[in-house]
């Protein structure tokens, strides 16, 4: 995992400004893509369920039992360092080697995984927020986007995560015909890789907050 000092410093400086004004912007714009209507869910494998349990344990090991209070008691640098520690632990558990970058200047995205350069991009403003819902959203984003990294690796490496060939081929087909949220919000939300990532993250955070 590679996070440069310059990236963190820049994120901190931007976040100080962003967090002061972002509360009313959230009401105006929203801070993530909100999928409309009833959403589909994906079936989780035995490996998925085991990893969900491990993920819950690692979140508690890093942030304690009362995660929101723990985060709110930290200053900005401590929050980022703890998030780095959690991501590093999750990558080790998931057998991933993803570069991590923080940003704080885009209120339309909580974060994203870029398969072309294998980067996990996270909106640090959500982590530094005073709002419990946005802090929780940051954790969901970490897991959701790492799940996309898992999907991508399973496509390229047979047997990874014990993913069956039929499933990895379906993911590959979806990535090749990916639906952008800006083009079709409902189609975006209900496509296979997004349903899977959303279901996995939801299970990881069940009961955590």
């Amino acid at each position: 995992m590679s996070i440069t000092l310059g990236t963190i410093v820049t994120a901190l400086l931007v976040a100080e400004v962003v967090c002061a004004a972002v509360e009313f912007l959230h009401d105006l714009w929203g801070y993530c893509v909100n999928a409309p209507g009833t959403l589909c869910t994906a079936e989780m494998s035995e490996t998925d369920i085991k990893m969900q349990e491990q993920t819950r344990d690692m979140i508690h090991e890093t942030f304690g039992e009362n995660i929101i209070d723990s985060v709110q008691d930290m200053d900005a640098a401590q929050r980022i360092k703890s998030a780095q520690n959690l991501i590093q632990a999750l990558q080790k558990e998931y057998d991933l080697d993803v570069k991590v970058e923080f940003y704080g200047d885009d209120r339309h995205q909580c974060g994203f995984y870029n398969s072309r350069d294998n980067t996990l991009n996270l909106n640090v403003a959500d982590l530094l927020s005073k709002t419990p819902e946005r802090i929780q959203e940051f954790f969901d984003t970490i897991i959701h986007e790492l799940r996309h990294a898992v999907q991508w690796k399973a496509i390229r490496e047979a047997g990874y995560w014990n993913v069956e060939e039929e499933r990895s081929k379906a993911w590959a087909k979806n990535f090749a015909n990916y639906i952008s949220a800006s083009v079709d919000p409902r189609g975006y939300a209900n496509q296979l890789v997004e349903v899977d990532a959303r279901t996995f993250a939801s299970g990881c955070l069940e009961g955590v907050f």
Side-chain angles (χ1 to χ4, degrees), residues 11-186:
L12 285 170
L13 291 174
V14 171
E16 291 297 323
V17 177
V18 171
C19 288
V22 78
E23 300 305 326
F24 80 90
L25 290 176
H26 169 243
D27 293 334
L28 178 62
W29 295 338
Y31 57 86
C32 282
V33 174
N34 294 313
T38 302
L39 299 178
C40 302
T41 57
E43 183 176 349
M44 295 285 98
S45 68
E46 291 184 5
T47 302
D48 293 332
I49 294 171
K50 178 183 177 181
M51 288 298 189
Q52 286 174 329
E53 294 172 353
Q54 294 287 353
T55 299
R56 288 192 290 269
D57 289 344
M58 284 185 283
I59 292 172
H60 286 303
E61 287 172 6
T62 305
F63 290 92
E65 290 302 312
N66 196 324
I67 294 162
I68 297 298
D69 285 351
S70 177
V71 172
Q72 290 178 332
D73 286 342
M74 297 177 182
D75 61 27
Q78 290 171 329
R79 294 188 192 196
I80 291 177
K81 180 61 177 177
S82 295
Q84 290 174 337
N85 291 340
L86 174 61
I87 295 167
Q88 188 172 30
L90 290 174
Q91 291 217 62
K92 183 177 180 179
E93 186 67 26
Y94 295 177
D95 191 21
L96 293 172
D97 185 18
V98 177
K99 294 175 289 184
V100 180
E101 297 181 0
F102 289 125
Y103 66 97
D105 58 351
D106 184 353
R107 298 308 307 141
H108 293 290
Q109 286 183 312
C110 300
F112 59 95
Y113 170 69
N114 187 335
S115 61
R116 287 173 297 181
D117 58 8
N118 194 34
T119 58
L120 171 63
N121 302 267
L122 298 168
N123 193 337
V124 73
D126 288 328
L127 175 62
L128 302 185
S129 171
K130 297 179 181 179
T131 306
E133 291 78 10
R134 290 184 55 206
I135 295 172
Q136 182 173 340
E137 187 65 45
F138 183 81
F139 285 87
D140 182 86
T141 301
I142 290 173
I143 300 167
H144 181 110
E145 300 306 332
L146 282 177
R147 179 63 171 190
H148 285 319
V150 167
Q151 294 166 346
W152 193 253
K153 184 172 180 177
I155 292 169
R156 292 161 39 238
E157 295 186 18
Y160 171 68
W161 200 279
N162 297 320
V163 174
E164 296 179 355
E165 183 180 2
E166 182 179 356
R167 192 181 193 190
S168 64
K169 285 183 176 180
W171 285 345
K173 183 178 180 180
N174 189 169
F175 278 123
N177 300 277
Y178 190 80
I179 302 170
S180 171
S182 62
V183 174
D184 179 2
R186 184 178 294 278

